[in-house]
Structure formats: C-alpha cells, structure tokens
Amino acid sequence: GFLGKGIPIIFFDTSKSSIGINCFPQYDRSLEVDGIIIDKSAVTLKGDQYASGSRDMKVPFNSNKTFGKRLSVYNGGIKIGNGITRVLVSFHAFMEAYDTNEFRVVKNSFSQANTLIYQESSYAGEDASSHKYYEVNAMPQLIEVQEGDVLYLYVTDYHTVPEVKISNSYMTIQVG
C-alpha cells in the first residue's frame, strides 16, 4: 500500500538488481510496480530464403531486430522471458510456391494442439516466367504464454516436392 501522504513504498533488491514500487521485486533486473514488470520488449524475425525438405517446415528467418530484455531469439523462434503471460503476435509472409500454403504460429513444437494462430496464404499473381506468388498476413493477436515458451512460424506445403521461397517475411512478438 501507500503511506498516509501518498508516497509509494520503494524496495531495492541488490541481489536481483531490481526495484519494486509497492511490492517486493520478484524478477532479476526488473522494475516492478504493484507486482507488474514495467519493460517493453519486441522481437522481429525476418526471412528471405528457401524452405524445403518436408511438408511442415519452420520458416527460416535469417535476421532479427530485438528491443528490450524480456524476449530473445532462440533456435529460429522467439523465447518468452520471465514474468510474461501474454504477448502480441503478428506475421506476414510473401512466397514463391506451387500452391496455397498454410501458416501456423506454434508454441514449442509443431502440432495441431500447439497451434496458436492459423492462416492460409492467398494467390498474389505470377510473373513472366510463370512463377506463382502467394501472400499471408496475420493481424496482431493476443496470445497466452509462459516463461520459457518458444514461438515459431511454420509453413505447410502440400506439393509433391515441398519447397517454398520466402521473401520479405517476418514474425513480430511484443510485450509491455
């Protein structure tokens, strides 16, 4: 609570390098107010390369931008840090492919049960060489998570020889 004159109680935990306002800090290197961590974080993974080999493929991202300390890049996905229970997730994919593909944001491993967001790509046109292009967008969605979860973007290609060229594609996760 607050003292009689409205002055907040501030706790310093030197072993955790944390500060708590109106609460004891629970997490390392954090600023917490009333038990809630005050820190914005975001990670965007970007991809411009081929995905091939199996029907269900993790989208191969080859660069990232990270802001804050509560999210991190891990094994081609985005790992959830301490104190996070909800994240905002969005993605966009543009690809050269043989046919429509399915995209899923999954938690920890590919399975129907772990699918958090599902979107089918739609036909975007073809070029002079008859290469077909498809596009998919997933508007930001609030997803429940817990510390240690890793979110991945997968593409499912039903063609006989699964191969998709990903370009100008990204997945962004935000918290805070």
Side-chain angles (χ1 to χ4, degrees):
F2 286 93
L3 297 175
K5 294 185 179 185
I7 300 171
I9 301 171
I10 299 175
F11 298 96
F12 297 92
D13 188 327
T14 55
S15 66
K16 293 181 181 176
S17 299
S18 298
I19 298 171
I21 300 173
N22 295 329
C23 65
F24 292 105
Q26 300 297 311
Y27 301 100
D28 292 335
R29 295 170 299 188
S30 65
L31 169 61
E32 301 170 40
V33 178
D34 293 326
I36 299 170
I37 296 177
I38 307 300
D39 177 22
K40 294 184 185 226
S41 291
V43 174
T44 295
L45 301 176
K46 294 181 180 181
D48 286 303
Q49 54 191 352
Y50 279 97
S52 63
S54 65
R55 191 182 83 158
D56 302 311
M57 299 171 275
K58 188 177 359 172
V59 171
F61 295 110
N62 54 357
S63 67
N64 69 77
K65 290 191 177 192
T66 303
F67 170 80
K69 302 175 193 168
R70 298 173 64 201
L71 299 170
S72 59
V73 177
Y74 178 81
N75 194 26
I78 300 174
K79 188 172 186 176
I80 307 303
N82 64 15
I84 299 173
T85 58
R86 288 180 206 90
V87 293
L88 197 58
V89 179
S90 62
F91 69 86
H92 166 81
F94 186 79
M95 76 221 78
E96 180 184 331
Y98 294 105
D99 205 348
T100 300
N101 296 293
E102 299 170 347
F103 283 80
R104 289 177 169 79
V105 174
V106 300
K107 183 170 25 175
N108 299 323
S109 63
F110 183 86
S111 75
Q112 198 76 352
N114 290 345
T115 298
L116 304 172
I117 300 174
Y118 170 86
Q119 288 284 113
E120 255 186 42
S121 63
S122 57
Y123 182 69
E126 59 185 74
D127 64 15
S129 303
S130 297
H131 294 115
K132 293 182 180 179
Y133 296 91
Y134 295 84
E135 188 170 31
V136 62
N137 289 293
M139 300 305 285
Q141 297 180 39
L142 196 58
I143 303 295
E144 303 237 348
V145 294
Q146 60 186 358
E147 181 178 347
D149 283 344
V150 181
L151 304 185
Y152 299 100
L153 181 60
Y154 271 80
V155 57
T156 299
D157 185 349
Y158 292 104
H159 193 263
T160 308
V161 179
E163 181 177 73
V164 177
K165 182 181 181 190
I166 303 291
S167 61
N168 280 334
S169 301
Y170 70 86
M171 177 172 69
T172 298
I173 297 182
Q174 304 170 62
V175 64

